[in-house]
Amino acid sequence: MRILVTGVTGQVGSALATKLAAFGTVVPAARTVLDLTQPQDIGPRLDEISPDVIVNPAAYTAVDRAEDERDLAFVVNAEAPRALAQWAARRRVPLLHFSTDYVYSGHGSVAWKECDETGPLSVYGASKLAGEAAIREAAGQHLIVRTSWVYAPTGSNFLRTIMRLAGEREELRIVADQIGAPTSAAIIADALAAFFASAGGLPSAIERTGGLVHVAAAGSTSWHGFATAIVEGLRARGVPLKVERLLPIGTADYPTKAQRPINSRLDLSKLEQVLGRSTPDWSAGLATVLDDLVASGI
Ligand SMILES: NC(=O)c1ccc[n+]([C@@H]2O[C@H](COP(=O)([O-])OP(=O)(O)OC[C@H]3O[C@@H](n4cnc5c(N)ncnc54)[C@H](OP(=O)(O)O)[C@@H]3O)[C@@H](O)[C@H]2O)c1
């Protein structure tokens, strides 16, 4: 089985490329192989590659910059997935695609279910939602995975930013009123691998999810809670840090170009039904990543 994986230089794509190698030949499709700003070229490229499964974690992920680059965000996050999905539907090839908690409005404090109404607050969220719709329209075999607050040992993410700032500054001010589940790319890759490995394989997992599923770490916290756990986790592992105070602040005190949901909690009951188990708690996912970072000298 030839498994085409996009976004292999990114957090999720890189974890998936490693993990899915157990189920076939991974064909890594970085930007140089498949440029998602050129949707018209996607079909012909896929004809050449001829994958049996397409896994698409690649995306335009610069949430604030998207407010100024609307067209580009929609091409990469909606038109390119449309082209992938149309090719996949024609060839009867399953498509695994990734989406985000930012498709929700963030109102209330109850965890969002897959069937809840969406209401993106940002261009990025709207572009990802348009990608979901385009994939559904193509009407092929597909699974859309909505995840949240992704981080990995490498790349540009909240964990890496806090690690750097905690080494440089005595005081950090961190947003404490946005709630979600920090999710390591490894947790996502493990869940996706479990879909491939499940009885009946990927087609059966896709059928049982009905084409849309939340995949995230269990539990929830705020960005402030996550930052505190990162700092405490690093100190507990003997990493010297300069930071002395982590001050909780409100979203209103940290203006950003794009508006983020206050409530990013994702209900995971559908995932738990399909997997037959829950995902690790966000704090356990963090502990694993910190152990790996410290073991590799950071
Ligand atoms: N990060 C989060 O907190 C988060 C939260 C919820 C959902 N998600 C979703 O989860 C998925 C994976 O996110 P991630 O955190 O792994 O993203 P990431 O680390 O930012 O990686 C994005 C990947 O997409 C590739 N890409 C961007 N534009 C491209 C283009 N025009 N053509 C081809 N490839 C392109 C990038 O390649 P280059 O290296 O060449 O730029 C990179 O490999 C995405 O669908 C994202 O929307 C992410």
Side-chain angles (χ1 to χ4, degrees):
M1 177 162 60
R2 287 165 64 75
I3 308 170
L4 181 134
V5 182
T6 67
V8 287
T9 54
Q11 308 185 82
V12 175
S14 139
L16 283 169
T18 307
K19 199 81 197 180
L20 298 185
F23 305 98
T25 304
V26 168
V27 183
R31 187 189 289 259
T32 43
V33 176
L34 203 64
D35 183 354
L36 302 186
T37 64
Q38 308 297 324
Q40 73 287 351
D41 296 341
I42 287 177
R45 288 300 284 138
L46 291 176
D47 285 340
E48 288 164 20
I49 299 167
S50 198
D52 302 304
V53 180
I54 299 173
V55 184
N56 182 44
Y60 179 106
T61 55
V63 176
D64 289 311
R65 209 183 325 138
E67 298 296 310
D68 295 325
E69 293 186 340
R70 186 186 174 89
D71 290 352
L72 182 57
F74 269 79
V75 168
V76 174
N77 291 347
E79 293 314 312
R82 182 191 303 284
L84 289 170
Q86 287 176 341
W87 187 91
R90 270 200 311 277
R91 292 292 198 93
R92 298 180 185 278
V93 162
L95 169 65
L96 298 184
H97 178 74
F98 290 82
S99 190
T100 170
D101 52 317
Y102 285 15
V103 298
Y104 296 113
S105 68
H107 297 139
S109 56
V110 177
W112 298 97
K113 283 190 190 301
E114 288 87 347
C115 56
D116 283 337
E117 199 178 325
T118 50
L121 304 171
S122 61
V123 168
Y124 166 74
S127 70
K128 295 293 293 183
L129 189 60
E132 293 188 11
I135 289 170
R136 271 184 220 106
E137 255 173 53
Q141 194 182 28
H142 65 267
L143 176 55
I144 296 164
V145 171
R146 287 185 187 148
T147 187
S148 69
W149 295 22
V150 179
Y151 67 96
T154 56
S156 157
N157 57 56
F158 185 83
L159 166 72
R160 300 293 310 187
T161 303
I162 294 299
M163 284 172 63
R164 177 172 53 77
L165 294 177
E168 292 171 2
R169 300 187 192 170
E170 286 182 359
E171 182 176 290
L172 301 181
R173 293 155 53 82
I174 314 282
V175 171
D177 57 359
Q178 291 172 25
I179 308 295
T183 301
S184 72
I187 288 180
I188 300 171
D190 282 349
L192 272 283
F195 291 163
F196 276 80
S198 66
L202 189 59
S204 156
I206 291 178
E207 203 180 309
R208 281 182 291 145
T209 59
L212 176 64
V213 69
H214 292 157
V215 173
S220 63
T221 186
S222 66
W223 292 113
H224 179 265
F226 187 30
T228 304
I230 293 167
V231 167
E232 286 174 355
L234 288 169
R235 283 225 164 92
R237 287 165 179 78
V239 179
L241 298 171
K242 189 167 179 186
V243 73
E244 283 170 11
R245 291 175 302 283
L246 287 127
L247 299 184
I249 60 167
T251 298
D253 302 319
Y254 188 75
T256 51
K257 211 149 202 180
Q259 207 185 330
R260 271 108 172 132
I262 292 291
N263 172 24
S264 273
R265 297 172 183 88
L266 298 179
D267 183 285
L268 300 176
S269 38
K270 194 196 267 191
L271 175 69
E272 288 167 6
Q273 262 175 10
V274 175
L275 289 183
R277 62 168 169 86
S278 49
T279 47
D281 190 81
W282 68 268
S283 55
L286 174 62
T288 304
V289 170
L290 292 182
D291 284 344
D292 289 352
L293 277 169
V294 170
S296 64
I298 299 197

